Amino acid sequence: MDDIHDYARRANSYLMKIRESGLSERNKALIEKFAEDCYGERLTPGRVYKHLYHLKKIAILLNKDLDAVQMEDLKRLIRFLDTETKYTEST
């Protein structure tokens, strides 16, 4: 299938942005591993790009390593998204 939106390049470019971002080294490694697993599961580059975009935002909002997130952290994030932001349910 043709990638008319150039998602493969966009996903790779976004991974570079994540590597150069202020995220913790642990979160950078976790997100990169997640991307590799997505491709291993044969997800399309567009889907991988979308996941990377949202995962980076979540990591920033949680402000902790993703593998250390607890249920209370997720509840707090959901409350924040529901009440304090422009995000909709589809986000």
Side-chain angles (χ1 to χ4, degrees), residues 10-23 28 49 56:
R10 290 167 70 179
N12 287 332
S13 176
Y14 205 74
L15 264 177
M16 290 300 293
K17 283 184 181 182
I18 289 170
R19 289 182 193 120
E20 296 166 358
S21 74
L23 293 177
K28 291 176 188 179
Y49 172 76
K56 181 183 177 201

Side-chain angles (χ1 to χ4, degrees), residues 11 34-35 38-39 43-53:
F34 177 76
C38 286
Y39 284 119
L43 270 62
T44 64
R47 180 66 56 184
V48 174
Y49 172 76
K50 181 177 180 178
H51 287 331
L52 292 174
Y53 176 83

